[in-house]
Amino acid sequence: MPAYDFKCQDCETVYEARVPMQELNKSKLPKCPRCQSTNVKQVFRSVSFNRGRSQRGGCCGPSCNC
């Protein structure tokens, strides 16, 4: 079951919950774990990618000559 991030619109708590995809489409979102509100919205995290050289040597690892 996939995990999604949610934000409570009442107390602004951001939390992760495992929800079947069918329930997302039917607006059966999980209650806020802090205040038990059902006034929640799904949020999306930004993903960060490390560009350039990594600490392991090159961008692909120690055997890469990039």
Side-chain angles (χ1 to χ4, degrees):
M1 188 176 328
Y4 299 97
D5 291 327
F6 297 93
K7 182 176 182 181
C8 178
Q9 301 300 297
D10 294 335
C11 71
E12 298 188 5
T13 298
V14 177
Y15 61 97
E16 183 178 280
R18 295 191 180 278
V19 179
M21 291 177 103
Q22 309 88 280
E23 290 187 17
L24 284 178
N25 296 334
K26 295 178 184 176
S27 296
K28 294 182 180 178
L29 302 179
K31 291 181 182 179
C32 173
R34 185 173 177 204
C35 71
Q36 301 301 308
S37 172
T38 56
N39 185 18
V40 299
K41 297 219 183 224
Q42 185 179 0
V43 295
F44 299 93
R45 286 188 212 182
S46 62
V47 179
S48 175
F49 294 97
N50 183 9
R51 295 185 183 202
R53 296 187 171 266
S54 72
Q55 295 176 351
R56 295 180 300 170
C59 65
C60 303
S63 63
C64 180
N65 291 325
C66 56

